[in-house]
Amino acid sequence: LLRGNHENMLLRASTLDSQAQESGDIRLLSAAREEFLNWQRNGGNTLFREYGLFGPGNIPDELLEFIGRMQLSVTTPNHYLCTHAAPPVTLERYGSEEMTMMWARPNEGPFALELELIGSLHGHTPLGVPTWVGQHLYIDTGAVFSGQLCTVDTDTLETVILRGSPVP
């Protein structure tokens, strides 16, 4: 599994809460709660309901450990890079390579790839159908809204749309 911006929101809420508890800084506590609410508004509320009620200061350890094991990128044997949003480049807007990999949009490219890579695969930006932009295949079909989840065979690059119901 790849770590993306939604997982990062939850980790950031936890980190800010820990810092607030250590320092007593009410601004950090407020920032932790705002980040947690942002996570909930962006899909986290489903997990929040399924997992049981928790907040930025008591996120279940097994959930934090699970997210901590997620990778930022994976390279397939046939030389395609998989990341949540973009290849590892630093765009000034995001401040770091890691944040760019979790937040960048296709229109912010084209993104350069390492020489050994043939292309890259990304989600993050719902485009309705799998879409090639240069060497980058964007596969987010907005499943949470459309009920259509795109999968990719990383050996053949064949895409398959699985149809279901949008999340209520």
Side-chain angles (χ1 to χ4, degrees), residues 68-89:
R69 289 191 308 267
M70 292 177 162
Q71 298 179 57
L72 286 174
S73 67
V74 173
T75 302
T76 67
N78 59 345
H79 304 284
Y80 280 86
L81 175 70
C82 303
T83 68
H84 179 70
V89 297

Side-chain angles (χ1 to χ4, degrees), residues 141-160:
T141 51
V144 69
F145 307 110
S146 69
Q148 298 184 121
L149 177 68
C150 181
T151 64
V152 178
D153 181 322
T154 58
D155 291 325
T156 65
L157 298 184
E158 176 185 0
T159 59
V160 175

Side-chain angles (χ1 to χ4, degrees), residues 1 29 39-40 44 46 53 61 63-64 79 87 96-98 101 121-122 127-128 139 146 152 154 161 163:
L1 295 174
L29 188 59
W39 170 77
Q40 285 184 295
T46 301
L53 304 180
D61 289 338
L63 180 55
L64 291 173
H79 304 284
S96 71
E97 193 174 87
E98 181 175 303
M101 292 169 67
L121 311 172
H122 312 284
L127 297 176
I139 63 167
S146 69
V152 178
T154 58
I161 305 291
R163 301 188 194 290

Side-chain angles (χ1 to χ4, degrees), residues 85-153:
V89 297
T90 300
L91 297 181
E92 186 176 328
R93 174 180 181 180
Y94 302 108
S96 71
E97 193 174 87
E98 181 175 303
M99 295 305 280
T100 300
M101 292 169 67
M102 288 190 272
W103 286 96
R105 302 287 184 183
N107 63 320
E108 295 177 276
F111 302 106
L113 293 174
E114 299 287 328
L115 290 177
E116 69 274 3
L117 295 171
I118 296 171
S120 63
L121 311 172
H122 312 284
H124 183 61
T125 302
L127 297 176
V129 297
T131 304
W132 281 98
V133 178
Q135 295 174 274
H136 313 284
L137 177 59
Y138 292 88
I139 63 167
D140 190 336
T141 51
V144 69
F145 307 110
S146 69
Q148 298 184 121
L149 177 68
C150 181
T151 64
V152 178
D153 181 322

